[in-house]
Amino acid sequence: MLKNKAFLKKNRGGRVFKVVREHYLRDDIPCGATFCSSCDTSTANLVAAERLVVVDTNVVLHQMDLLENPAFRNVIILSVVLEEVKNKNLSAYNRLRNICANRSRQFFVFSNEHHRQDINYTYIKAMANESVNDRNDRAIRVATQWFQKHLGDACTVVLLTNDLDNRSKANAEGINVFSVDHFVQSLDKPELLDLVARSESENATPMEIEDSRPSKRKIIYSEHKPMSEITAGIHQGIYHQGKLRVNRYNPFQAYVGSESVGDEILVQGRLNMNRAFDGDVVVVELLPHQSWQGDMTMIAEEEDGDGDERVGLAPDTSDEAAVNKTDEASEKATTSGGSSRPNGRVIGIIKRNWRAYCGSLEPMTTPAGAGSVANALFVSADRRIPKIRIQTRQFGNLVDKRIVVSVDSWDLNSRYPSGHYVKTVGKIGDRDTESEVLLIENDINNRPFSDQVLACLPPLPWSVPAEALHDPHREDLRNLRVFSVDPIGCKDIDDALHCTLLPTGNYQVGVHIADVTSFVHPGTPLDIEAQERGTSVYLVERRIDMLPKPLTEDVCSLRADVERFVFSVIWEMSSEADIISVRFTKGVIKSSAALSYVEAQARMDDSRMSDPLTTDLRNMNRLAKVLRQRRIERGALTLASPEVKFEIDTETHNPLDVGMYQVRESNHMVEEFMLLANISVAKKILSSFPVFSLLRRHPTPTSKMFEPLLKIASAVGIKLDITSSMTLANTLDLAVGDDPYFNKLIRILATRCMTQAVYFCSGELSPPEFQHYGLASAIYTHFTSPIRRYADVIVHRLLAAALDLEKLSPSLRDKSEVTKIADNLNYRHRNAQMAGRASVELHTLMFFRNSRPTDADARIVQIRSNGLIVFVPKYGIEGPVFLVDKASKSSTNWIMDEEQQCANARDGSSKYKVLDSVKIRIQVVEPQPNRPKLELTLLA
């Protein structure tokens, strides 16, 4: 049966036109019950039970943690609900689809919007003056009634909704209807009650530990402004919109980037954050200028005094670096005219960034009686997240565990948000548990690849098919002496090189990259999974792959002595590394050697070796040095980071040793040609696709970002010129001290002034904004690691289309779609970096926990009003050393000069200056059971 649906739609130009769509109704749509005698049961998975459950849209949106629990079965998902969820929350939609795809969970999607059987319809038309929401609620009730009538006495069909109006109408229509809370109570499984989200929007009572009597409940936070007032205020320039970024090292300080203000707005203290979470899109009102606060410079203590500022891996960039800190008490203080940075307060939240958080419960007295409800405080492993109130009937079992909690609401009468327990990860302090925690906290997908994804892989063993050697679009490059240079033990080799001396005296130099897109095709389950993951994640003891191992370690890996598909960039260069020509081609290679950086360096350094491969290495290294020097002369920065390397026990996976990672000439050689390939490919794809190329940019740091570096440099008598990357590079070269490490330390501190490089769509920015500041390059992209990064997969497709080797998919011809891809890649890349850092911190803690207190050399990187911040090069860690008693916050024994960055003992016995070397002791302390942390103390 055919029905027509007509509606009006406005296009981008403002023209209104009528759209007519055909809507088919069918009488062959099954109900999904295996025990139904009148429907086709071939796809049915609702089993005989006392009750079948129909859920409305809000239950799916707010109770997904409950629905994902294996105890929740025999659930009917109506197509009207599925579509509403898809439009409102794509993450919840994907989670729901995953449940429905698992037949063992007994969830069935029923197409109520297309169903008719005899004279009974579950499809309904909207009534006059009926809202879309009311129409959909009515459709859900109609479908529930149909199921009850259709299945008769075989079972009871129950509607689950927390909407009071919907429940009232369902009762009046004779439908068996429950709130989520009452239904879960009827299941006689008390542990499921912990999973129930209690949202105020669903007419639930906010859970509080404080006295809940209205007369006794003090209002702590300000009401958020209504959206109409917010919209008008933004247009008038009174309010400013942006994403809230909470300081990773100080949860009481946050920033909101605002184009309308032209600077980041500082938000000091929880009250001014006004219930906003890190990552929320918020609206900020500027505070009066006279109340703007300067940055506080005391070493911070954590909330409620339950620990000091942590010792952790030294930050790499300004996105990770600790700024000056404050504590809960200091947020009430103001300094008149003490800061030029605008200060503000949150007056509204446009979009919430709530997610599941991993952490543990604060220790407290276990409530009496089995199954007693405990009102507990959850402390997230992410310091930026406030404590979360939860109710649990399992307190005794959870108090020493890492658990996952979701946020439900944050009432203005409550100091903390309210949430609910989701699941247990494992015991606090256990290595596997803590490793899982860092993955959850950084939203890393480490689930096994699905059968649908694995079905996209070519059969193994795989070899280059004979017909590929005759493909006019693929060049036979097996005659070239190709080799790879990678870290020791690397199995996912995605790049190889060659350097051939030509009869003309010039060189043919090639970078050959694994041709991943020959196996990962657009729109396939394999491609969709790779795009969602975005990047491989490298932890200390393991790697979480973007692509399945058969591809990463076999089919695409450029291993020695096997033929493999590649996408190549080949230059002809003069002996002085001048580029004469460049071409791009798909090809087939057979690598002659897979070397480690150590092996390649040993060959180049050994004067007794003169075989062709070693000669190629030396020639390539000589050309790389010329290219590197030219980059530096153009203003490319030679920065540094405190990289550390672990020796891991192969059986226990515990760290046996830790030390600084050594960078060799062979590392620089490979890096130089990878950079050149990325720049060459960027120019090619941009010339062909100026509007939707995927590029990578590194924004120029603002002068404010350089202030910490300039202050330190000035304190030690060094003048740095930050006018451009070239002047900075030149003055960094002149920043030398009494020992070789001094210059590297200055470069490490300079690195912290930089923001992260990001992916972007070329059509969204103007060419001057394409610049990569750190590389001093006008254009850049990522092409050389498609096994590990999805960005490179996109760039391979763009390059293939630019060379007319393949057609470009429609999605890559839409700049809004390319921008969405870039946004996800930036998010995933950032999360992978933070997970990697967290893994290093975890293994550093494990190493010191298993050893006695260790003495080490450290460098002072900042002087605070109550102590020093020191960096330990050997272990790559940084943290506070208190000179002033933590409780007193001040001392008569020391004179702390933050302007000159020095600390002097009043009796003249000791003097410390920024960048000085000091001896410190590293040890693990446990202020609470199973909550170890690193502590640094100064040795006399």
Side-chain angles (χ1 to χ4, degrees):
M1 183 176 180
L2 177 66
K3 287 183 176 290
N4 288 331
K5 295 171 68 176
F7 56 92
L8 300 178
K9 188 176 180 180
K10 183 185 289 186
N11 64 13
R12 290 184 178 180
R15 188 172 65 88
V16 178
F17 57 97
K18 186 176 182 180
V19 177
V20 179
R21 287 183 181 167
E22 296 176 341
H23 190 88
Y24 286 89
L25 299 180
R26 296 169 47 186
D27 58 8
D28 60 346
I29 296 175
C31 68
T34 56
F35 51 90
C36 180
S37 58
S38 59
C39 290
D40 178 7
T41 59
S42 60
T43 60
N45 62 346
L46 300 171
V47 301
E50 181 183 347
R51 295 184 292 195
L52 297 184
V53 179
V54 178
V55 294
D56 75 356
T57 303
N58 282 332
V59 169
V60 175
L61 290 173
H62 299 293
Q63 306 291 343
M64 186 57 69
D65 294 323
L66 181 65
L67 295 179
E68 285 180 327
N69 189 280
F72 228 80
R73 296 177 180 275
N74 279 330
V75 178
I76 299 166
I77 302 296
L78 303 175
S79 58
V80 66
V81 170
L82 195 65
E83 191 62 27
E84 269 197 297
V85 172
K86 183 178 181 181
N87 291 334
K88 292 183 176 181
N89 189 323
L90 195 56
S91 174
Y93 171 78
N94 289 331
R95 291 169 70 182
L96 182 60
R97 293 297 303 184
N98 286 336
I99 302 173
C100 295
N102 183 352
R103 290 185 61 82
S104 67
R105 289 298 313 280
Q106 292 145 17
F107 276 55
F108 184 76
V109 177
F110 177 70
S111 297
N112 68 296
E113 293 289 73
H114 296 276
H115 176 268
R116 72 176 289 271
Q117 198 173 74
D118 301 326
I119 60 171
N120 297 309
Y121 289 74
T122 58
Y123 165 74
I124 62 169
K125 288 184 177 181
M127 297 188 297
N129 300 320
E130 186 178 37
S131 70
V132 173
N133 183 67
D134 287 344
R135 181 264 170 200
N136 290 346
D137 282 348
R138 186 162 60 87
I140 293 168
R141 296 196 301 274
V142 166
T144 305
Q145 285 178 311
W146 179 87
F147 264 96
Q148 187 63 79
K149 184 175 182 180
H150 178 72
L151 296 174
D153 296 333
C155 68
T156 299
V157 181
V158 172
L159 172 61
L160 238 59
T161 176
N162 276 349
D163 186 296
L164 280 174
D165 183 59
N166 203 15
R167 283 211 303 272
S168 176
K169 290 177 180 176
N171 272 318
E173 294 166 7
I175 297 171
N176 291 297
V177 61
F178 283 82
S179 70
V180 173
D181 197 53
H182 289 160
F183 180 78
V184 174
Q185 288 178 21
S186 74
L187 297 178
D188 196 27
K189 293 184 177 180
E191 68 278 5
L192 290 183
L193 287 168
D194 282 7
L195 296 172
V196 176
R198 305 180 186 280
S199 171
E200 292 173 290
S201 64
E202 295 175 345
N203 308 296
T205 303
M207 183 271 294
E208 287 293 335
I209 292 177
E210 296 106 336
D211 194 326
S212 61
R213 290 173 292 176
S215 61
K216 299 294 183 180
R217 295 184 67 197
K218 186 175 78 171
I219 293 178
I220 298 173
Y221 296 100
S222 303
E223 281 274 15
H224 291 147
K225 303 284 187 185
M227 191 54 64
S228 57
E229 184 177 336
I230 285 174
T231 303
I234 290 174
H235 285 312
Q236 295 168 19
I238 301 171
Y239 302 145
H240 311 278
Q241 180 178 328
K243 184 176 287 188
L244 187 87
R245 181 171 61 88
V246 178
N247 188 321
R248 188 173 292 275
Y249 290 83
N250 175 19
F252 305 112
Q253 199 169 62
Y255 306 89
V256 176
S258 171
E259 292 183 4
S260 55
V261 173
D263 193 1
E264 284 193 321
I265 301 169
L266 178 64
V267 183
Q268 293 268 32
R270 292 266 193 242
L271 294 181
N272 283 331
M273 291 184 205
N274 198 9
R275 296 170 285 153
F277 269 55
D278 179 69
D280 285 354
V281 178
V282 301
V283 178
V284 176
E285 176 184 50
L286 292 184
L287 298 174
H289 188 277
Q290 62 270 23
S291 69
W292 289 5
Q293 298 180 38
D295 291 327
M296 309 298 288
T297 59
M298 183 177 289
I299 296 175
E301 294 182 11
E302 290 184 12
E303 191 170 1
D304 294 337
D306 58 2
D308 304 319
E309 176 181 334
R310 296 178 183 175
V311 176
L313 194 65
D316 273 347
T317 68
S318 65
D319 295 330
E320 299 157 5
V323 300
N324 295 325
K325 300 176 173 61
T326 183
D327 59 19
E328 183 77 26
S330 70
E331 70 175 74
K332 297 174 184 176
T334 59
T335 52
S336 261
S339 174
S340 60
R341 183 194 293 274
N343 282 214
R345 67 184 184 96
V346 173
I347 53 93
I349 298 175
I350 303 293
K351 184 179 180 182
R352 280 290 190 189
N353 189 45
W354 287 345
R355 58 175 173 84
Y357 301 100
C358 202
S360 56
L361 297 181
E362 268 196 352
M364 58 177 268
T365 303
T366 305
S372 298
V373 177
N375 291 315
L377 281 176
F378 166 85
V379 181
S380 173
D382 186 341
R383 300 179 69 198
R384 298 170 296 178
I385 305 305
K387 295 176 183 179
I388 301 168
R389 299 186 188 281
I390 70 164
Q391 284 185 336
T392 178
R393 294 150 184 81
Q394 309 172 65
F395 183 83
N397 294 327
L398 300 181
V399 70
D400 62 344
K401 304 291 195 307
R402 293 293 188 195
I403 64 173
V404 175
V405 162
S406 284
V407 181
D408 301 330
S409 62
W410 196 343
D411 185 59
L412 54 81
N413 302 93
S414 174
R415 184 180 178 190
Y416 303 116
S418 297
H420 65 272
Y421 163 83
V422 176
K423 66 177 181 179
T424 299
V425 180
K427 189 175 178 63
I428 293 173
D430 177 75
R431 186 197 66 238
D432 292 339
T433 296
E434 301 302 337
S435 185
E436 184 67 20
V437 167
L438 68 88
L439 294 177
I440 294 170
E441 276 300 297
N442 291 288
D443 193 17
I444 303 298
N445 178 3
N446 67 330
R447 294 187 299 271
F449 290 100
S450 67
D451 291 340
Q452 294 94 328
V453 169
L454 296 177
C456 298
L457 304 181
L460 298 179
W462 182 88
S463 59
V464 172
E467 59 269 22
L469 299 173
H470 304 291
D471 183 348
H473 296 313
R474 191 173 294 278
E475 193 172 341
D476 188 348
L477 304 174
R478 292 176 298 168
N479 61 310
L480 299 175
R481 191 163 46 248
V482 172
F483 56 89
S484 61
V485 184
D486 285 282
I488 294 174
C490 182
K491 295 180 180 179
D492 56 335
I493 304 172
D494 51 14
D495 58 81
L497 307 159
H498 89 270
C499 182
T500 304
L501 179 61
L502 301 173
T504 59
N506 291 334
Y507 290 90
Q508 185 190 74
V509 182
V511 168
H512 310 278
I513 307 301
D515 187 8
V516 171
T517 54
S518 287
F519 306 96
V520 181
H521 303 293
T524 61
L526 176 59
D527 181 56
I528 293 169
E529 180 75 8
Q531 180 176 330
E532 193 278 329
R533 293 190 180 214
T535 182
S536 294
V537 181
Y538 290 83
L539 308 179
V540 168
E541 82 289 9
R542 60 175 165 149
R543 182 186 75 221
I544 299 170
D545 290 313
M546 181 185 78
L547 297 169
K549 275 188 169 52
L551 280 184
T552 63
E553 296 185 359
D554 188 352
V555 176
C556 293
S557 185
L558 307 184
R559 298 178 293 134
D561 302 319
V562 292
E563 296 175 353
R564 288 293 180 259
F565 285 164
V566 291
F567 210 158
S568 304
V569 184
I570 300 174
W571 304 272
E572 183 177 346
M573 288 184 175
S574 71
S575 59
E576 296 305 315
D578 295 315
I579 297 175
I580 297 167
S581 64
V582 59
R583 66 187 183 91
F584 310 91
T585 182
K586 287 203 170 192
V588 179
I589 65 163
K590 186 174 183 179
S591 178
S592 60
L595 306 174
S596 68
Y597 289 117
V598 175
E599 290 170 332
Q601 192 66 50
R603 279 177 172 267
M604 291 190 290
D605 293 343
D606 191 342
S607 59
R608 297 168 299 177
M609 298 188 72
S610 57
D611 59 280
L613 178 58
T614 302
T615 301
D616 290 350
L617 279 166
R618 288 176 182 143
N619 287 336
M620 188 161 234
N621 190 41
R622 186 181 61 78
L623 293 171
K625 287 179 179 179
V626 177
L627 291 171
R628 182 179 178 83
Q629 184 57 38
R630 284 190 189 147
R631 277 199 311 110
I632 292 171
E633 289 170 356
R634 290 197 306 269
L637 296 174
T638 305
L639 299 174
S641 60
E643 294 185 73
V644 294
K645 181 181 179 182
F646 285 88
E647 181 185 341
I648 298 293
D649 188 300
T650 55
E651 294 184 4
T652 66
H653 298 292
N654 289 329
L656 300 175
D657 196 11
V658 59
M660 288 184 284
Y661 181 80
Q662 184 180 353
V663 179
R664 298 172 172 83
E665 274 191 8
S666 55
N667 295 77
H668 291 311
M669 176 191 74
V670 174
E671 177 190 32
E672 212 55 49
F673 281 100
M674 296 304 127
L675 292 175
L676 185 60
N678 288 333
I679 291 170
S680 297
V681 170
K683 291 176 180 177
K684 178 62 179 178
I685 63 173
L686 186 65
S687 66
S688 299
F689 308 116
V691 177
F692 43 82
S693 286
L694 182 69
L695 302 176
R696 189 164 174 81
R697 63 189 287 259
H698 183 207
T700 301
T702 64
S703 58
K704 188 177 292 289
M705 294 166 67
F706 279 114
E707 285 178 1
L709 174 66
L710 295 178
K711 186 175 183 179
I712 291 170
S714 177
V716 295
I718 292 173
K719 182 173 177 57
L720 296 177
D721 186 345
I722 60 169
T723 306
S724 67
S725 62
M726 182 180 295
T727 60
L728 176 60
N730 291 338
T731 50
L732 282 174
D733 288 340
L734 301 175
V736 293
D738 297 332
D739 65 273
Y741 197 78
F742 183 90
N743 185 259
K744 182 174 182 180
L745 185 57
I746 290 290
R747 292 181 190 275
I748 288 173
L749 296 176
T751 304
R752 297 184 188 180
C753 302
M754 311 296 161
T755 57
Q756 295 259 321
V758 291
Y759 298 106
F760 69 100
C761 175
S762 57
E764 297 290 346
L765 297 172
S766 60
E769 296 172 288
F770 294 2
Q771 182 193 16
H772 196 293
Y773 176 83
L775 298 175
S777 179
I779 187 171
Y780 192 67
T781 194
H782 271 163
F783 167 78
T784 55
S785 290
I787 286 177
R788 309 169 193 178
R789 296 183 305 226
Y790 191 76
D792 304 57
V793 172
I794 296 295
V795 171
H796 277 229
R797 289 173 181 161
L798 288 165
L799 181 60
L803 299 173
D804 292 326
L805 301 179
E806 297 169 10
K807 289 187 176 180
L808 199 60
S809 62
S811 63
L812 292 186
R813 291 184 175 273
D814 182 341
K815 71 176 182 180
S816 64
E817 287 300 314
V818 175
T819 296
K820 287 180 184 177
I821 292 171
D823 290 343
N824 181 63
L825 291 175
N826 291 328
Y827 173 74
R828 294 297 173 188
H829 178 72
R830 172 72 173 154
N831 287 2
Q833 282 190 318
M834 296 314 299
R837 290 175 58 83
S839 180
V840 171
E841 288 188 345
L842 171 61
H843 283 78
T844 302
L845 181 63
M846 289 167 54
F847 173 75
F848 285 109
R849 198 179 190 186
N850 295 331
S851 62
R852 291 178 295 178
T854 303
D855 297 345
D857 292 320
R859 294 298 189 111
I860 299 171
V861 293
Q862 200 169 20
I863 305 287
R864 297 280 179 80
S865 62
N866 57 340
L868 318 172
I869 303 296
V870 300
F871 166 59
V872 188
K874 181 177 180 181
Y875 303 113
I877 58 176
E878 184 174 304
V881 173
F882 286 91
L883 296 180
V884 175
D885 181 75
K886 301 176 198 176
S888 67
K889 313 264 185 181
S890 61
S891 174
T892 57
N893 299 326
W894 289 89
I895 301 172
M896 313 296 289
D897 188 335
E898 296 180 57
E899 190 61 36
Q900 297 299 318
Q901 284 290 289
C902 63
N904 300 309
R906 291 188 184 273
D907 62 7
S909 60
S910 301
K911 180 178 181 179
Y912 299 109
K913 192 173 182 65
V914 71
L915 301 190
D916 278 355
S917 294
V918 291
K919 281 278 188 183
I920 55 103
R921 174 159 293 167
I922 308 168
Q923 60 185 339
V924 173
V925 296
E926 293 198 33
Q928 296 177 20
N930 294 317
R931 285 171 168 81
K933 66 175 187 176
L934 284 177
E935 182 179 77
L936 306 182
T937 53
L938 196 63
L939 296 177

